[in-house]
Amino acid sequence: MKIGIIGAGAVGSIIAREFSKLPADKVQLTLMARTPRDGFTILEDGVKTYHEIQVHDVNKVSERFDVVFIATKTPALKMLKDTVDNITHKNSEIVYALNGMGYDSVFEGGIPSVVYISGQQHNDYIEHFVNQKIILPETDYTYIDELIAMINVRQQVNFELFKSSDFHKIRYEKLLINVGINSVTALSKNTSKIFEDDKMVQLTRQLLEEAITVVNKYNTDAVQVGDDFTETAMDMYYSYPRDMGTSMYYDVMANRTTEFEHIQQFIYNMKEDDDLHTPVLDMVVTLFAGYEKQ
């Protein structure tokens, strides 16, 4: 099986590190990014480890893969159209290992996923905070089912790749998780330490409750997020390391384009009328839209 991973940031590097532990006679792994290099360093539990996994120039790879994991930022998707077409065949399975929603149709047969991998890319290393998990829709796959089976029988592979019949609900819940923590960390330019402030906690709760109301009223997947999800999300935020940021926090700190179009804006655009009062969500979307115009 030939597996390609596009993106050598926090998500792509963690996937590559774990998949590199699979048998070489069964899996051929290729990690790709815009900048080629001989390997990468991951900081985990206070220890830096260098991994000799070559990062290939994504624009120079011509091999066709059975499975492709796209682990970039969502703004890069459109630019990858020709690249992905060139490295896939008619039966290839393309997994969106991305945040947010609203991009499923970019590639024909693209497979959405829910990604729980938290990390930060520094100049010369990647800091991994928590989680190594990707959840997929419950359906039959030609190559991914084989990959899941290989991972499950090898204890040295510390990665969860599995299918769920409750995928749509899990996906909306992850979207809501991102709406809450990504918004307040990016707009305040602060890490998870922000949840030590009672006013920020109150603001985050209101943002979550507004977003949950929108999702429950307007989603087209027959999903209903429970009333207790705000508490679930807040408990998750409290459990994060205080120095942990979010993808949008790191983007804002580096003055990069954010993924708000597929996170906060996606939920805002679900509203079909102006009668639903969502003042915090509206302000968050307005502020991110203003940031993107700089």
Side-chain angles (χ1 to χ4, degrees):
M1 182 191 309
K2 295 182 178 180
I3 300 176
I5 302 169
I6 302 177
V11 174
S13 296
I14 294 297
I15 297 173
R17 179 186 69 178
E18 297 305 316
F19 286 8
S20 69
K21 301 173 185 176
L22 295 168
D25 61 335
K26 293 186 177 181
V27 172
Q28 179 184 320
L29 181 69
T30 303
L31 178 60
M32 298 163 274
R34 288 177 298 179
T35 305
R37 45 198 183 275
D38 293 330
F40 52 84
T41 298
I42 295 178
L43 171 64
E44 198 169 44
D45 299 326
V47 178
K48 285 185 178 180
T49 304
Y50 181 75
H51 300 275
E52 293 184 353
I53 301 173
Q54 186 175 359
V55 181
H56 300 264
D57 186 337
V58 68
N59 295 311
K60 294 182 179 180
V61 174
S62 58
E63 200 163 358
R64 295 188 182 272
F65 299 97
D66 302 313
V67 183
V68 174
F69 288 84
I70 302 178
T72 63
K73 293 296 183 68
T74 54
L77 276 178
K78 294 179 181 178
M79 294 182 290
L80 287 171
K81 189 69 172 67
D82 290 340
T83 299
V84 172
D85 288 345
N86 290 335
I87 63 172
T88 53
H89 53 74
K90 65 178 182 178
N91 296 318
S92 296
E93 294 165 349
I94 304 169
V95 179
Y96 298 112
L98 307 168
N99 285 323
M101 294 175 66
Y103 46 71
D104 292 5
S105 62
V106 172
F107 299 110
E108 184 177 355
I111 302 168
S113 75
V114 175
V115 180
Y116 277 101
I117 300 173
S118 297
Q120 176 188 3
Q121 184 167 5
H122 298 270
N123 288 334
D124 57 351
Y125 68 94
I126 293 155
E127 185 174 6
H128 179 222
F129 292 110
V130 293
N131 300 321
Q132 297 184 164
K133 177 167 63 178
I134 292 180
I135 307 166
L136 300 167
E138 181 70 75
T139 190
D140 292 332
Y141 301 104
T142 302
Y143 301 104
I144 291 175
D145 285 349
E146 181 183 349
L147 176 59
I148 291 173
M150 281 193 285
I151 291 172
N152 288 343
V153 298
R154 286 168 175 80
Q155 293 184 351
Q156 66 267 38
V157 180
N158 184 23
F159 196 93
E160 295 180 81
L161 180 65
F162 62 93
K163 303 184 291 186
S164 173
S165 59
D166 212 15
F167 175 79
H168 291 299
K169 183 177 181 181
I170 294 171
R171 194 180 191 196
Y172 278 106
E173 289 178 344
K174 175 62 190 306
L175 179 65
L176 291 164
I177 291 289
N178 285 341
V179 165
I181 192 169
N182 275 274
S183 298
V184 297
T185 54
L187 293 175
S188 68
K189 294 186 176 181
N190 205 342
T191 63
S192 295
K193 190 176 188 296
I194 202 71
F195 297 112
E196 295 176 0
D197 183 279
D198 289 341
K199 290 184 178 179
M200 289 302 300
V201 168
Q202 182 179 353
L203 182 70
T204 307
R205 285 181 181 277
Q206 184 172 343
L207 174 59
L208 283 169
E209 288 167 3
E210 291 177 8
I212 290 169
T213 301
V214 173
V215 167
N216 283 345
K217 186 174 181 180
Y218 297 112
N219 84 83
T220 58
D221 296 299
V223 167
Q224 286 296 296
V225 178
D227 294 337
D228 60 345
F229 185 74
T230 296
E231 294 304 321
T232 300
M234 295 306 302
D235 287 344
M236 186 179 295
Y237 302 155
Y238 295 145
S239 73
Y240 290 154
R242 298 296 87 181
D243 61 341
M244 191 187 98
T246 62
S247 59
M248 292 182 72
Y249 162 81
Y250 295 123
D251 286 339
V252 168
M253 296 303 289
N255 202 35
R256 295 190 296 255
T257 298
T258 72
E259 300 175 294
F260 102 101
E261 177 185 353
H262 295 283
I263 301 176
Q264 295 87 349
Q265 181 80 58
F266 180 84
I267 288 186
Y268 178 84
N269 287 347
M270 289 175 68
K271 295 198 298 181
E272 297 175 359
D273 56 64
D274 296 326
D275 293 337
L276 188 61
H277 190 53
T278 57
V280 178
L281 176 62
D282 297 355
M283 182 59 69
V284 164
V285 170
T286 300
L287 289 172
F288 274 120
Y291 166 82
E292 295 294 335
K293 291 181 179 179
Q294 64 179 319

